[in-house]
Amino acid sequence: MRVSSITARARAVRERLARRYPAPRTELSWSTPWELLVATILSAQCTDARVNMVTPGLFATWKTVEQMAKADPAQIEGVIRSTGFFRNKAKNLHASAVRIVTEFGGQVPRTMEEMLTLAGVARKTANVVLSNAFGVHAGIAVDTHVKRISFRLGLTRQTNPDKVEQDLLKLFPQDSWGAVNHYLVLFGREVCTARKPNCEACELADLCPRTGVTSRSASPTTKHKA
């Protein structure tokens, strides 16, 4: 496949999904960069809906990053237990809070390099926080939805999230990177689901090679105009 055809496909994907989602945003509930960081760490292997059920109680108990830094990780575990992997998440939340207080003056850092020094923070989490909290487009957050849809659309042949991200960065304008993440996540939840993508209702069907999609897992396709 020629690079130019992939570039054209990526442009069409972005334009169509921008029409579908004119005001995309994360579905996690947050009011400060620290709250978004906490919610994003908790969202690993957990639904946003579940995280949004847990964070009000968490933030009511420890209202600031300074309070979280002084918290007993065992107490944090009890509050976040239903999000899964709660022991590791509690340890990471506490360690991140301590580092933010001691190294960054109580403020969530605004660069990728600094974000990656926080416990439990890899590129996906860093990208979510930087883009949504600060408008800093350092990359594209690649979760399971972004990874799956990018592969199905033929925008990448990679399966490692970091390598998927590098392929996507070449295809989309930097000022759209945050929006592209939202487009693909929302589309993955609503249309291009993991087990049974709704190809019949998909506005990307005419340009999608359906890589890895079997005839049994997808509904029949219909053609859509650009």
Side-chain angles (χ1 to χ4, degrees):
M1 183 177 296
R2 301 189 307 275
V3 173
S4 59
S5 67
I6 298 176
T7 302
R9 184 184 305 156
R11 182 172 62 252
V13 167
R14 178 170 59 87
E15 292 172 350
R16 294 184 194 185
L17 294 186
R19 291 195 292 269
R20 182 183 179 92
Y21 305 110
R25 59 186 296 274
T26 178
E27 295 187 330
L28 293 170
S29 298
W30 61 283
S31 60
T32 68
W34 166 245
E35 289 186 357
L36 178 58
L37 174 59
V38 170
T40 307
I41 290 175
L42 292 178
S43 70
Q45 304 296 313
C46 182
T47 65
D48 289 355
R50 168 57 59 182
V51 172
N52 290 340
M53 293 174 63
V54 169
T55 49
L58 184 68
F59 298 142
T61 304
W62 299 285
K63 296 181 175 61
T64 65
V65 64
E66 288 83 5
Q67 291 180 4
M68 183 72 77
K70 297 177 181 178
D72 180 351
Q75 291 183 314
I76 300 173
E77 289 179 11
V79 177
I80 68 171
R81 180 180 293 269
S82 65
T83 67
F85 302 96
F86 59 93
R87 290 189 179 88
N88 196 49
K89 289 179 180 179
K91 180 181 69 175
N92 287 336
L93 290 178
H94 179 259
S96 289
V98 170
R99 183 165 180 81
I100 289 172
V101 170
T102 59
E103 299 295 329
F104 300 110
Q107 301 297 314
V108 174
R110 298 186 176 216
T111 69
M112 176 63 70
E113 181 180 16
E114 292 173 327
M115 284 290 295
L116 293 179
T117 68
L118 302 178
V121 176
R123 284 192 62 88
K124 187 199 84 168
T125 297
N127 277 322
V128 169
V129 175
L130 291 173
S131 175
N132 291 278
F134 302 122
V136 174
H137 303 299
I140 296 175
V142 177
D143 69 354
T144 56
H145 298 295
V146 176
K147 175 183 171 182
R148 178 179 71 252
I149 297 174
S150 299
F151 187 78
R152 287 177 175 175
L153 286 169
L155 302 181
T156 183
R157 294 180 181 274
Q158 303 294 333
T159 56
N160 178 278
D162 289 345
K163 292 182 178 180
V164 172
E165 180 186 5
Q166 292 309 308
D167 283 347
L168 297 181
L169 297 183
K170 301 170 186 174
L171 296 173
F172 297 104
Q174 185 171 1
D175 62 0
S176 74
W177 288 351
V180 165
N181 165 259
H182 294 314
Y183 296 156
L184 297 181
V185 168
L186 294 170
F187 199 69
R189 290 173 176 167
E190 297 175 4
V191 180
C192 195
T193 57
R195 294 187 177 181
K196 194 171 181 62
N198 189 2
C199 297
E200 187 173 17
C202 178
E203 54 259 65
L204 307 179
D206 61 308
L207 53 79
C208 180
R210 298 168 66 188
T211 306
V213 178
T214 66
S215 58
R216 289 187 300 174
S217 66
S219 56
T221 59
T222 55
K223 299 299 181 182
H224 296 258
K225 295 181 180 179

